[in-house]
Amino acid sequence: MAAMAPGGGGSGGGVNPFLSDSDEDDDEVAATEERRAGLRLGAGVGLDPGSAGSLSPQDPVALGSGARPGLPVEAAATPAALGGSGETPARLSIDAIAAQLLRDQYLLTALELHTELLESGRELPRLRDYFSNPGNFERQSGTPPGMGAPGIPGASGVGGAGGREPSTTSGGGQLNRAGSISTLDSLDFARYSDDGNRETDERVAVLEFELRKAKETIQALRANLTKAAEHEVPLQERKNYKSSPEIQEPIKPLEKRALNFLVNEFLLKNNYKLTSITFSDENDDQDFELWDDVGLNIPKPPDLLQLYRDFGNHQVTGKDLVDVASGVDEDELEALTPILSNIPPTLDTPQAIENSLLVQKLEDKISLLNNEKWSLMEQIRRLESEMDILKTEHFTTPAVGDSVQPSLIQSSQKDSEDSRRSPIVNSSDQEKNKNGHLETPGGADNSIPQENSAGSFPRKEREEMLPSSIPSKTMVHFDQPNRKLSPAFHQALLSFCRMSADSRLGSEVSRIADSEKSVMLMLGRCLPHIVPNVLLAKREELIPLILCTACLHPEPKERDQLLHILFNLIKRPDDEQRQMILTGCVAFARHVGPTRVEAELLPQCWEQINHKYPERRLLVAESCGALAPYLPKEIRSSLVLSMLQQMLMEDKADLVREAVIKSLGVIMGYIDDPDKYQQGFELLLSALGDPSERVVSATHQVFLPAYAAWTTELGNLQSHLIPTLLNKIEKLLREGEHGLDEHKLHMYLSALQSLIPSLFALVLQNAPFSSKAKLHGEVPQIEVTRFPRPMSPLQDVSTIIGSREQLAVLLQLYDYQLEHEGTTGWESLLWVVNQLLPQLIEIVGKINVTSTACVHEFSRFFWRLCRTFGKIFTNTKVKPQFQEILRLSEENIGNGVLTKATVPIYATGVLTCYIQEEDRKLLVGFLEDVMTLLSLSHAPLDSLKASFVELGANPAYHELLLTVLWYGVVHTSALVRCTAARMFELLVKGVNETLVAQRVVPALITLSSDPEISVRIATIPAFGTIMETVIQRELLERVKMQLASFLEDPQYQDQHSLHTEVIRTFGRVGPNAEPRFRDEFVIPHLHKLALVNNLQIVDSKRLDIAVHLFEAYSALSCCFISEDLMVNHFLPGLRCLRTDMEHLSPEHEVILSSMIKECEQKVENKTVQEPQGSMSIAASLVSEDTKTKFLNKMGQLTTSGAMLANVFQRKK
């Protein structure tokens, strides 16, 4: 293996254990190339002149052979360099120096060289590979460099030019494995010093090495992924792109990422920074700071500018190339790398660089020509294969005889197809195809004239003749040899052919199916063995095969097994996989008919109804709906309905019950057994009461509209379904006098709301003009806002009617009928007017007006009802019935109609349906009249407040409500002005600050200077709400000044009701108000009010003020209060309050004492040690013990605790 230098006597040369094979090959190639370049080195000391003259100064072999033991490579090379006859000394390459250092085991020197090269950005591959390979350091002891141990590199003498590489013997050079796998680049040499054991540092070094190896593994995996991704485009598509230049091959993902990186780099270099930021945001899946993130395992290419400038140097040939799967071997590529990397440094002239680039271009051209050669060879192989097919076809003619196997032509065609598909050229196949012709069993002559071959017939005749000319299986016979061997000998001889028909698979392979039936039988036998061996993620690919076999297989038992496999194909099928299975089940049902669906598919569903995986139960629930159209009608209304009912009642998974509801909706669209109507109604109520929002939503979207359509056909919509729901609502209201079940009310009322489209469709279809509704001429357009937006397509009136055009014609006739001809004989509409509306209005009068949720639900219901039935119906049928009940007179004030929920529901549900000017005027007038009548009669304002709360939730009505309130501000009656002032409190929270500043505050300032003291007091809650919600400094200052005037003006000193209102307002808004306002205004004034209350001589007033102060202080104790404020105002106020409670309410006094004690303790702690952070007083004063006593006492109090709800609430 050793290569002796010319003229040198060689010692046994072997393999250097510290240099890899690739390094040796690199050295040999480099030496060969440099000899070709004609470089010579002068004769040196200790070297044979002939030998030295043939070696390159960069050849590490030569240097290693001529160096004296114990001297570095520079010392050994100096005589050789200076011994020439006056020639300029050749400059040694760094790679040669590194090779010599490694060979002589000057590892520290090599490591230092490697580090300096790394720091200067000129990493040397030889050193990098050496120091990153742990195998180079796995030994416990070794021979120092330069020693003459047998087989060690230092053994080569000066006079003997050694072989190509010195070798190690088995005796002295065997390396033992070290205790830890460290490399020199992760090795801490200080740990071998005398400082002691450094186990931790050693562990760190090992972990660093493992991390580096993991990164290298990631790079290798990225390279594999890159290679795989580069071949994503099918071969045939690439051929199309190559053959048609106008078709551009789509960009590959890795190409896109590389170009993105270069474009971003170009943008940054040219100061397009904003564009670069936008570009990075649009490609957020890529890291533009790291080239390795691109995924390409190649060096980064030049920038875009360099690529553009270099573009003119490339010549694009116009040849039509055929793309084949060929390429340069990786070993060849690796062999080319050292050639380019080892170009001598002395050739750094532009001419030398140009020559090296020219060599590289020529090599690229050679590679392209090789690719073209392989593609042409592939074409030749294809043509030869097609010739073989044509030549074999003529054997099917009668002139040839009947000795051709039926499978011969098929196999030939298959071979030809395979040859077209295969992109890889096999050399052995080429050799076979050069001879080119298939041999027939009969040994027929291939030299039959062309006119007798099948190729001479027209294509159509040849296709017709081909099947008929193939003999049947019974007619096939084979030529027997003219030999006299016994049959037993023949049998024994054939037994050496390795065939296996004993196993199951062997028997299947040995018999070829000859009919559709046998194919089905074979698939039925093989599929159960194939399915378990297919990846779970790809098993849906088997669905067509399983279904076709199950459809056509003659054996019921096998079909059942195949369908069982279908339903158990995937353990937990996802949504897409379930869709595939359902699609297959529907296709199966269409093909086999209802009887087999019932007998074969339904049992599979029934078996999995209680499966442990919800995905499988979900598949069953979805199958029941998908198969409903293909089942016998008796089965739909019995077995399937029972299965779905059981799953709805028992299944705990929301997704499964949701699918059950949707399938029930489909069943309701196909069921025609009237006896099942009541069962369907019970299922509807169960679905509406389901705890899952998903199930209830599916009920409104699918089940309820489908059930309503069936109910309409049976004539039960107006006679049973709607009246039953109304009766259930009335029953709820009767039973809920002490506590209404609002959830059930919402359930029934939302069901009624979802039935409105079906009810309107019924009215249209049963109208007197329905027979005249014909589509002719131009169809009028329906306004986009004519109907409320439906929850689902099944609630769209046009879907229920049949088409939007038909609905448009019916609507035109409907409006004309209502406006001009009335409702005489229109039974379905008369039921709505005479029975439904009066019952609904009666129910509305029974609900609690203070229940915001109930008012909102009924308001939405009436709004949808009026919008669906239209403006004419609303104005002529709905409004008159409400106005009849809500006659604005003193009588209705006495019977309490105006204080019921009828007022807000009429205002917000009926009068807001249409927003023309006259409609708005009607709403404003109604609210003004209600406010006036309620105020003048001293009636409760709950109905008016409910109207303001419901309308105030929509910003579109804020201006309208402010108009109503301004009417109250300027009213002549103080009672009306007082009511208006209280209504502002409800409106402030939802109105934007601009309206507050322009409309609300001026009105309140006007009322605060009202001659009547009650009106002024009524403005205080509204001012407090502004302090709680507004952040504009000017507004806050105006409100603060107004409140200060109330508290500091002498005329209000004896106004007990004003002080009570102020304290109540401070307790409500204090925790959420702006901190500065609370600290500078609220707490100091509460202190003053507590001091004044100590002097109150009327015990009833004193107790009233004390109780309100207690509630206010309880609420404010949750806020952060500074130490100064605590000492100067909060604690003194609490002490004053305790003085009042000692005489008037001892149970309050205990709680106040605990609060005072905790506050004092907190102040003392603050003086000793400053708090580390801002803590709420609640966290400090409410310890576990105090909180328990506080809550116990609060439960014993008989006074109002309305304000204590905010005690433990933090500021929002």
Side-chain angles (χ1 to χ4, degrees), residues 186-321:
S186 67
L187 196 61
D188 183 9
F189 288 99
R191 70 182 179 188
Y192 297 110
S193 66
D194 295 333
D195 295 340
N197 192 6
R198 301 274 187 99
E199 293 182 359
T200 303
D201 294 341
E202 181 177 353
R203 180 60 181 162
V204 170
V206 172
L207 291 175
E208 287 176 352
F209 166 72
E210 292 174 352
L211 176 63
R212 184 170 62 256
K213 298 306 290 182
K215 289 181 178 179
E216 291 175 358
T217 304
I218 291 171
Q219 290 293 335
L221 291 174
R222 179 183 282 123
N224 293 337
L225 288 174
T226 301
K227 192 177 298 182
E230 288 292 344
H231 293 84
E232 281 179 354
V233 180
L235 181 62
Q236 191 59 40
E237 292 186 21
R238 294 205 301 271
K239 292 177 182 177
N240 295 337
Y241 297 137
K242 298 291 185 180
S243 60
S244 302
E246 67 276 3
I247 304 176
Q248 184 177 3
E249 182 176 355
I251 189 170
K252 300 172 185 174
L254 294 163
E255 294 174 340
K256 180 180 177 182
R257 293 173 70 85
L259 289 175
N260 284 350
F261 188 92
L262 294 177
V263 168
N264 186 70
E265 183 183 50
F266 171 78
L267 293 173
L268 289 175
K269 284 183 178 179
N270 292 276
N271 289 325
Y272 297 111
K273 294 183 180 178
L274 291 178
T275 309
S276 172
I277 293 171
T278 306
F279 186 71
S280 301
D281 290 341
E282 292 177 345
N283 297 277
D284 55 356
D285 60 337
Q286 186 170 349
D287 183 4
F288 287 105
E289 296 180 0
L290 184 64
W291 168 254
D292 288 341
D293 183 67
V294 172
L296 297 174
N297 202 27
I298 59 174
K300 189 173 85 66
D303 58 19
L304 285 181
L305 180 61
Q306 187 64 33
L307 291 174
Y308 174 74
R309 289 173 175 171
D310 193 47
F311 177 74
N313 296 331
H314 300 282
Q315 295 181 355
V316 181
T317 60
K319 295 182 180 180
D320 290 336
L321 303 178

Side-chain angles (χ1 to χ4, degrees), residues 787-805:
F787 293 101
R789 179 176 297 175
M791 286 183 65
S792 78
L794 297 178
Q795 289 189 15
D796 192 342
V797 180
S798 62
T799 304
I800 300 172
I801 293 295
S803 68
R804 198 163 182 83
E805 292 76 16

Side-chain angles (χ1 to χ4, degrees), residues 277-520:
I277 293 171
T278 306
F279 186 71
S280 301
D281 290 341
E282 292 177 345
N283 297 277
D284 55 356
D285 60 337
Q286 186 170 349
D287 183 4
F288 287 105
E289 296 180 0
L290 184 64
W291 168 254
D292 288 341
D293 183 67
V294 172
L296 297 174
N297 202 27
I298 59 174
K300 189 173 85 66
D303 58 19
L304 285 181
L305 180 61
Q306 187 64 33
L307 291 174
Y308 174 74
R309 289 173 175 171
D310 193 47
F311 177 74
N313 296 331
H314 300 282
Q315 295 181 355
V316 181
T317 60
K319 295 182 180 180
D320 290 336
L321 303 178
V322 179
D323 193 6
V324 294
S326 63
V328 183
D329 197 309
E330 290 184 2
D331 295 335
E332 298 178 26
L333 289 175
E334 292 176 358
L336 292 175
T337 305
I339 296 176
L340 299 177
S341 62
N342 290 333
I343 294 176
T346 56
L347 300 180
D348 284 342
T349 61
Q351 183 65 32
I353 295 175
E354 185 176 352
N355 290 339
S356 64
L357 292 175
L358 180 61
V359 170
Q360 187 173 0
K361 289 182 180 179
L362 291 174
E363 288 175 348
D364 293 340
K365 191 171 183 180
I366 291 171
S367 178
L368 290 175
L369 291 174
N370 283 332
N371 290 342
E372 186 176 0
K373 180 187 75 173
W374 285 110
S375 67
L376 292 174
M377 292 177 65
E378 172 69 5
Q379 284 186 338
I380 291 171
R381 194 174 75 84
R382 290 178 188 168
L383 292 173
E384 288 177 347
S385 178
E386 291 175 4
M387 288 172 61
D388 292 339
I389 295 170
L390 293 175
K391 287 182 180 181
T392 55
E393 283 182 355
H394 73 270
F395 292 126
T396 62
T397 60
V400 177
D402 58 356
S403 61
V404 182
Q405 299 180 50
S407 60
L408 178 63
I409 298 174
Q410 297 176 6
S411 63
S412 302
Q413 293 172 346
K414 181 180 179 182
D415 290 343
S416 118
E417 292 174 1
D418 291 344
S419 67
R420 291 191 195 99
R421 292 193 195 101
S422 175
I424 301 173
V425 180
N426 194 324
S427 59
S428 61
D429 291 342
Q430 292 173 9
E431 292 299 325
K432 294 176 183 177
N433 289 336
K434 286 178 181 178
N435 298 328
H437 308 305
L438 293 172
E439 295 182 2
T440 61
D445 188 5
N446 288 335
S447 61
I448 296 176
Q450 180 69 25
E451 60 270 12
N452 292 336
S453 67
S456 63
F457 291 101
R459 179 182 180 88
K460 184 175 180 180
E461 294 180 13
R462 188 165 73 246
E463 290 176 354
E464 292 175 353
M465 183 177 64
L466 184 61
S468 61
S469 62
I470 298 176
S472 63
K473 183 176 180 181
T474 57
M475 296 174 62
V476 175
H477 67 274
F478 303 96
D479 289 343
Q480 299 297 327
N482 189 14
R483 301 290 300 275
K484 296 182 179 180
L485 301 175
S486 67
F489 187 85
H490 269 291
Q491 191 67 28
L493 189 61
L494 290 175
S495 66
F496 287 96
C497 299
R498 299 181 61 83
M499 294 182 295
S500 173
D502 298 334
S503 64
R504 178 193 62 80
L505 186 59
S507 63
E508 294 291 352
V509 173
S510 62
R511 50 181 177 180
I512 302 298
D514 55 359
S515 65
E516 291 183 4
K517 181 178 179 181
S518 59
V519 171
M520 289 300 109

Side-chain angles (χ1 to χ4, degrees), residues 560 596-608 639:
D560 182 71
R596 280 184 59 184
V597 174
E598 175 190 354
E600 298 177 11
L601 267 185
L602 272 187
Q604 302 297 333
C605 294
W606 182 260
E607 285 179 7
Q608 307 215 10
L639 178 60

Side-chain angles (χ1 to χ4, degrees), residues 25 34 133 398 407 686 823 826 845 866 895 913 939 974 976 980 1055 1067 1174 1183:
D25 296 338
E34 289 170 359
N133 183 6
S407 60
S686 299
T823 59
W826 198 347
C866 294
N895 59 30
C913 285
V976 178
Q1055 292 295 332
S1174 173
S1183 62

Side-chain angles (χ1 to χ4, degrees), residues 1019-1035:
T1019 62
I1020 293 174
F1023 280 125
T1025 304
I1026 293 175
M1027 296 300 299
E1028 187 180 17
T1029 56
V1030 174
I1031 61 174
Q1032 286 187 22
R1033 181 69 60 184
E1034 297 79 5
L1035 279 179

Side-chain angles (χ1 to χ4, degrees), residues 911-928:
L911 295 181
T912 60
C913 285
Y914 301 95
I915 54 174
Q916 278 77 16
E917 189 60 32
E918 60 272 15
D919 301 308
R920 297 178 72 89
K921 286 182 179 179
L922 184 61
L923 177 58
V924 169
F926 176 73
L927 292 175
E928 289 175 352

